[in-house]
Amino acid sequence: MEWTVTEVKQTTEVLQLEKCVNDHDGIELKVAADWVGQNDFAIYNDTKLIGYLQAFAYLPTEWELNVFVDPDYRKQGVFTQLVEAAREAARPQGVEAFTFVIDDASESGQAVLGRLGAEYRMTEYNMVLKKAQLFLKADPDFELREATADDRPFIVETLGSSFGNTADEAESIYQAIESDDRVTYIGVANGKPVGVIRAYLASDTQASIHAFAVRPEAQGNGYGKKMLKLMVQAMFRTGRTQLELDVETDNARALDLYKDAGFVVGRGYQFHVLGL
């Protein structure tokens, strides 16, 4: 069946579709509500929203996609037409690949991406703070301070070197996630910056920790553990006690670090890549 891809009309419709899909499939895949209407695509059946695709341009050559299709309208070409509309918009901008994010428990998502020819790359755990380990022995030679504009080169270089991105890619990623609802801190050991940790302030009580990295030459000194616990303390001081973060399932070292800080494994999210 041919559907018309158009602009989304209301954020509330997207959130209703999100709930419908999650409840039906027993999954937890979230829309970035603040970004609705910025780089997304919708399909309606009369006045009912039945399909929605949200794209995040984290890299100049790669978009990350979340797609939701009403269970009553699956296997009718809704998913395919949303992806094709996104492809037509992305190619002129130099985008070379889409990365799809799906809940690890989404059998329908895995099936449709398999038919599409997307390649599985990795799975991340979402970890939630269960019991905060707030005690940290005082260390006069280590601090976690809020970043300033002068720290930007250090932040971009550290994130790039730690996550395997080029300088241009690291800069693009940082620009994409730079907003007023995020805070950045610098780990400083003996007066020298050694790491970066950021948080998305989702609400007055919730925050998501991300972009957490210790420079390669500074690793092995316990700085990561200190940075994470000090970050948790900083969030608690603002009233944000509901904390979460993501970690790749094969990153045993990071997984142990987060567990030691009181985080427990929640849901898993798969990443599948499709070349354009």
Side-chain angles (χ1 to χ4, degrees), residues 123-125 127 212 219 228 245-261 263 265:
T123 298
E124 282 188 351
Y125 287 136
M127 301 187 71
F212 176 23
Q219 293 177 9
L228 182 58
L245 50 79
D246 297 322
V247 59
E248 290 185 33
T249 55
D250 59 355
N251 192 339
R253 185 175 179 179
L255 193 58
D256 289 342
L257 171 64
Y258 301 147
K259 287 180 177 179
D260 183 62
F263 288 82
V265 173

Side-chain angles (χ1 to χ4, degrees), residues 41-175:
F41 306 83
I43 290 179
Y44 288 84
N45 184 24
D46 292 328
T47 60
K48 182 179 181 180
L49 179 66
I50 62 171
Y52 177 73
L53 184 153
Q54 188 172 52
F56 304 92
Y58 283 122
L59 293 172
T61 58
E62 185 175 329
W63 283 4
E64 187 174 290
L65 307 184
N66 288 340
V67 187
F68 300 82
V69 177
D70 188 305
D72 292 336
Y73 292 86
R74 292 176 180 173
K75 298 184 179 180
Q76 298 183 38
V78 175
F79 183 96
T80 301
Q81 287 185 236
L82 285 169
V83 173
E84 186 56 35
R87 192 197 312 258
E88 291 179 3
R91 278 175 169 164
Q93 299 182 45
V95 178
E96 300 174 357
F98 287 159
T99 296
F100 294 86
V101 182
I102 63 171
D103 190 295
D104 198 35
S106 177
E107 296 180 1
S108 62
Q110 294 178 46
V112 71
L113 290 177
R115 292 193 295 269
L116 192 64
E119 179 184 354
Y120 169 81
R121 286 292 174 83
M122 68 174 185
T123 298
E124 282 188 351
Y125 287 136
N126 177 257
M127 301 187 71
V128 178
L129 186 67
K130 188 71 173 180
K131 184 177 181 181
Q133 305 295 323
L134 294 176
F135 175 75
L136 184 64
K137 186 176 180 180
D139 184 350
D141 297 321
F142 191 90
E143 66 170 332
L144 190 72
R145 62 167 175 79
E146 194 160 357
T148 68
D150 292 338
D151 292 310
R152 187 185 182 96
F154 171 80
I155 294 169
V156 172
E157 181 184 353
T158 299
L159 295 178
S161 63
S162 298
F163 296 112
N165 301 120
T166 66
D168 289 343
E169 289 174 343
E171 177 63 32
S172 295
I173 293 172
Y174 190 76
Q175 288 181 7

